[in-house]
Amino acid sequence: MTKTTTRPAPYRGDASRGEIEILEPRQVFANAFVEVYNDRVRFPDGHEGENFRWHWTAPYGVIALPRLPDGSVLLIEQFRHIDRAWRIEAPRGFGSADEAPATAAQREVEEETGQTVRRVHPLRSLGHSGYPVHLFLVDIDPAASATPSNDDPREAIAAHHRFRAAEIPALLQDPRIHDAETLVLLAACLNAPE
């Protein structure tokens, strides 16, 4: 389980500068993972209304694409509740304030695939300063594989699948891959050094 951090108040904005200004933050839902708001706002044209926003409660997220020495990659098959469908994606998860992003990426790969991580390569971060998502390419040791240890009952991971390096271009068109982060990692893998 990740530790949450106290999040600073959001930037309120200024409608006179063309921004959507928060007049009154209104939290409508919160749980261990997400906070949801339906704020009272002022729009750039001066009229007032409501606007929706949300954020994860963890301080950051990680997504890591496991690579084998022959250039093949591992992706997990996971049922996504929000989509009501099975997806193929890179291992991912939340980080905590007391854990470096590279350590969180290694932990997620090992938990979700059972593979031992040899090296972690930071690629880039996406998102915003309130919740950055750190992307990694990770080299795994296929000789040291084990059974995945992901015992989180809230996840529905069916399996992990190995795709040859020659299959990566076709994966970029695969409709089962639904998230931009996995696509960014696969595209980076095409040009990454061995």
Side-chain angles (χ1 to χ4, degrees), residues 2 12 30 44 48 50 56 60 63-64 72-73 84 87-88 119 127 130 135 140 162-163 172 179 183 186 193:
T2 60
R12 292 184 83 81
E48 294 182 13
E50 296 178 333
W56 297 112
Y60 64 88
I63 302 175
S72 60
V73 297
R84 305 304 303 153
R87 300 294 184 202
I88 302 291
R119 196 171 14 193
L135 304 182
I140 58 175
R162 182 175 180 167
F163 296 94
L172 293 171
D179 65 292
L183 294 170
L186 288 166

Side-chain angles (χ1 to χ4, degrees), residues 87-172:
R87 300 294 184 202
I88 302 291
E89 58 190 39
R92 67 192 60 231
F94 297 117
S96 63
D98 60 352
E99 181 179 44
T103 303
Q106 178 176 342
R107 174 181 46 76
E108 288 295 333
V109 168
E110 291 179 352
E111 286 176 359
E112 294 183 0
T113 70
Q115 302 295 312
T116 300
V117 173
R118 288 187 302 123
R119 196 171 14 193
V120 178
H121 306 275
L123 184 61
R124 63 168 294 161
S125 295
L126 300 172
H128 53 82
S129 62
Y131 182 78
V133 177
H134 304 284
L135 304 182
F136 297 90
L137 296 174
V138 297
D139 297 328
I140 58 175
D141 183 358
S145 66
T147 302
S149 64
N150 188 2
D151 57 0
D152 188 340
R154 296 168 298 216
E155 291 187 319
I157 298 173
H160 63 274
H161 301 284
R162 182 175 180 167
F163 296 94
R164 296 183 327 273
E167 295 175 290
I168 293 174
L171 287 172
L172 293 171

